[in-house]
Each structure stands twice: as C-alpha cells, then as structure tokens.
Amino acid sequence: MADELERSDSPLSLPRYRYATGWYQVAWSDDIAPGDVKKLHYFGQELVCFRGESGRINVLDAYCLHLGAHLGVGGVVKGEMIVCPWHNWHWNGDGSNALIPYSQQKCKKNLRIRSYPVQDWYGLVMVWHDRDAGEPYWQPPRVPELENGRYYPLHPHGRMLNRVRVHPQMIVENAADPYHVGPVHQGDDTATTSFEFKGHHLHATIETVYGKGKPSSWLTPNGPVQASVTYDTYGIGLGFVRFPSEVIGTVQITSHTPVDDEYTDYWFALASEREPGDSGDEPTGRAARFLELQRNVIRQDFFTWENMKYLASPNLTPEEAKDYMALRKWARQFYPADAI
Ligand code: FES
Ligand SMILES: [Fe+2]
C-alpha cells in the first residue's frame, strides 16, 4: 500500500512518516502474565514485552546491546529484569544494563536499550510511541462504564483483533464520514451533528436511526429509535464509540497500531449494559447480539481500506468537506514536523 499513497504538499496528504505519536495497544494484558516474555513487531520495529515478577510490564527495543540477540526469542524474566539468552546479560525494565554475569566489569552503566512508556489500561497493554522518544503529553482517559459494574467486562469475551492492510489514519477518518454508513453499514438517515477538537481529542456526534421502517426488531423492540452515537478519538491510535441506552448502552474501544509500512493491527473491545439479573462475565441476550453485530460492522470497512488509493486532494461535497478537511489537518499534529 505504501507505494499507492498519494503524496503531495497538500495539507490533506498523509505525512511521509507513518507512525504518529500517541498511545497504541500492543497486547491484551492477560496474555502476558508475570514472568512472560513476548516478541512484538510494531512501528516497523522489533520489540520485546516482558512482565516482571511484581506484575510490572515493560516494552523495550528487541535487540541486546551486547552482540544483538533478540531478547524476545529465548529471553527470560528474572525478578524485574530480562535476561538475554546468548550470554545472560541482565537488563532492567527501563532498558539499563543491570548485570554482566561473567565480567569483572559487573555492568555497563552507560548502556541503555530504548524503552517505551507502557501501561495496563483496562486490560489493554498501551505503549506510547514517539519517533523522537518524547514523554507522553496526554494519557488514555478514564472509562466510567468499565468501573461501575453495570456493564459486562471487556475481557475476555468482548474483544477481537484484525490485521488490516490500511494506514491507521484511515480508520480514524471514519469519524468524518457519515455518508459511508448507509452503503457500507446499512445505517439509516445518518448525519454528523457535532465535530469538535480539543488538542489531541476529537469528539463527534452522529445521529442515526436504528430499525427504520420496522415495527420491531431485536435491537429496537418498540419500533425505530433515533440515536446519538458519539465518537471520541485520542490521537491516531485510540478511539471510542458510544451507543446510548435507547439502543443498548455500549462502549466500544478500538486501537489502531501500525505494524509496518503496510499493515495495522485493529484492536477492538466492547462492553454493553448487562442483561437484567445477569452478573456473569459473558454477554447474553441483546448484549451478545450487539457484540456480534459490531464485530461484523468493524469488518465491513476492510474491503475499501485494503483496496483503495488515498487521495491527497479528494473531491468532497459541501456536506462533508468541512469536517473531513478539519480532521486531516488536526491529524498532522501527531507526526514529526520534519515528516509532514
Ligand atoms: S547478545 Fe545479549 S548477552 Fe550477548
Ligand atoms: Fe465504517
């Protein structure tokens, strides 16, 4: 896909550097238990993720600074350190060299493997990526719906991962595109009613009608429902869609993590309001059906993304131009200035 991206000096083109600054999901927290080591490949780089015995999680560049072994292939956790499989050098979670077991030198104090800010956030392992290794200047937000017990948990039943041949910004641009909802997602009478930027945060409201023309459906048992669906996008890597209780109260969290110059890992997790009286972990009834519906909705966009050409100068109608152009201009703040 990289060759097919249209480049130009247009303020609406994609920056030359693909990996925008921000928080991105790289794993599910419960897939990396204390003592586990996992090889990762994101942002065009080999990485290693390991969880110390205390539960603290770390992400480092993959290669040992002794002679270059991949710490994610045969490396083991010892306490809070990762031990290289080749000559057993020990590395701390911040990437500093902790121990050279066979040398009178003990360790090389000035050596440090690049480490990435990382956190467990509602069961998602989130990494801060910045090409220039700047510190995070914002944090993933709180999600009240996941803290009050009225919703099913996100994990393990509400989640999905797809690897898609798409630039991550294309996924975010969906928020400015209500006119694909009819043809692609079979939504009715969809229109954007608010579109607001606050620094790294985009908040949008989309009005849509569920169950149009049907006296009753499983989602709209009492007839058609006009619903306000909200989008909250934080940088290029993290997005929320919220559905109101008139349909079924739901929070959907997606993360769009660039793998390399072609692919993006599109992480998805969803939690809906519990069915009355159900205190289990696995969604049932309408919540289960809505989860299945949204899993399909997410995948409906893939065929356009995987086969399209990104136009730096699209031909937009008056109805769509303002929000679409504003979104593309907003997105540029997340790329290194010398790559725009
Ligand atoms: S390459 Fe890692 S200890 Fe030698
Ligand atoms: Fe879509």
Side-chain angles (χ1 to χ4, degrees):
M1 178 168 178
D3 293 343
E4 295 165 20
L5 297 176
E6 185 179 318
R7 311 283 186 198
S8 81
D9 292 332
S10 158
L12 302 183
S13 64
L14 281 171
R16 291 186 302 281
Y17 181 72
R18 187 179 175 94
Y19 312 130
T21 299
W23 288 100
Y24 295 90
Q25 185 176 354
V26 298
W28 304 111
S29 298
D30 59 11
D31 283 349
I32 306 176
D36 282 354
V37 175
K38 193 168 183 196
K39 175 181 186 290
L40 302 176
H41 187 91
Y42 288 111
F43 320 111
Q45 301 194 20
E46 283 292 298
L47 304 169
V48 61
C49 179
F50 71 97
R51 197 183 286 281
E53 282 160 16
S54 71
R56 190 191 156 87
I57 196 152
N58 308 280
V59 173
L60 305 178
D61 275 349
Y63 300 112
C64 176
L65 289 179
H66 176 219
L67 276 164
H70 196 306
L71 295 169
V73 182
V76 294
V77 170
K78 187 170 163 193
E80 300 305 305
M81 299 173 287
I82 186 163
V83 180
C84 179
W86 202 354
H87 314 90
N88 281 0
W89 286 32
H90 293 37
W91 300 92
N92 292 312
D94 67 0
S96 57
N97 184 216
L99 180 68
I100 306 172
Y102 56 84
S103 170
Q104 60 182 11
Q105 197 177 12
K106 297 296 181 210
C107 73
K108 288 182 184 282
K109 287 197 170 60
N110 58 345
L111 273 192
R112 185 177 284 236
I113 301 171
R114 180 168 176 183
S115 67
Y116 294 81
V118 57
Q119 58 181 291
D120 288 297
W121 177 79
Y122 298 107
L124 284 58
V125 178
M126 302 296 293
V127 160
W128 175 261
H129 172 78
D130 176 354
R131 184 195 69 177
D132 301 325
E135 288 298 309
Y137 59 91
W138 54 273
Q139 295 294 324
R142 279 193 51 211
V143 187
E145 295 94 329
L146 302 178
E147 296 178 359
N148 62 21
R150 292 197 300 110
Y151 281 53
Y152 289 101
L154 289 176
H155 309 281
H157 302 289
R159 67 198 201 188
M160 175 173 74
L161 171 62
N162 291 279
R163 182 159 289 189
V164 190
R165 196 163 66 91
V166 63
H167 190 295
Q169 188 174 312
M170 287 303 307
I171 300 172
V172 171
E173 290 190 11
N174 241 226
D177 187 11
Y179 301 104
H180 85 289
V181 173
V184 177
H185 305 302
Q186 290 77 52
D188 274 304
D189 299 341
T190 302
T192 305
T193 52
S194 78
F195 208 74
E196 301 151 13
F197 300 97
K198 264 196 210 139
H200 62 275
H201 177 198
L202 161 64
H203 177 75
T205 307
I206 313 262
E207 294 290 328
T208 192
V209 177
Y210 284 90
K212 188 178 180 187
K214 295 181 196 152
S216 173
S217 73
W218 68 264
L219 191 56
T220 55
N222 302 316
V225 172
Q226 165 101 30
S228 295
V229 178
T230 62
Y231 285 62
D232 290 281
T233 303
Y234 298 84
I236 302 298
L238 181 61
F240 292 75
V241 183
R242 286 183 167 87
F243 300 85
S245 50
E246 293 89 318
V247 186
I248 176 169
T250 296
V251 59
Q252 174 182 300
I253 303 174
T254 61
S255 188
H256 335 112
T257 313
V259 174
D260 54 25
D261 283 349
E262 270 197 282
Y263 287 92
T264 294
D265 270 358
Y266 191 4
W267 303 84
F268 163 98
L270 179 147
S272 291
E273 289 168 321
R274 291 179 177 280
E275 287 286 288
D278 186 359
S279 58
D281 283 355
E282 185 166 1
T284 59
R286 293 172 79 247
R289 291 186 77 166
F290 196 68
L291 172 62
E292 205 43 46
L293 173 70
Q294 284 305 112
R295 281 190 167 132
N296 289 329
V297 165
I298 288 284
R299 292 190 287 242
Q300 286 166 351
D301 285 309
F302 295 174
F303 83 99
T304 42
W305 294 340
E306 293 206 314
N307 295 289
M308 66 177 284
K309 171 178 171 177
Y310 189 93
L311 298 182
S313 303
N315 294 287
L316 302 166
T317 68
E319 294 82 2
E320 60 198 352
K322 185 162 162 280
D323 292 345
Y324 227 107
M325 288 170 64
L327 188 150
R328 285 197 178 181
K329 287 178 184 161
W330 168 80
R332 293 166 84 82
Q333 69 177 298
F334 303 111
Y335 298 90
D338 60 22
I340 288 176

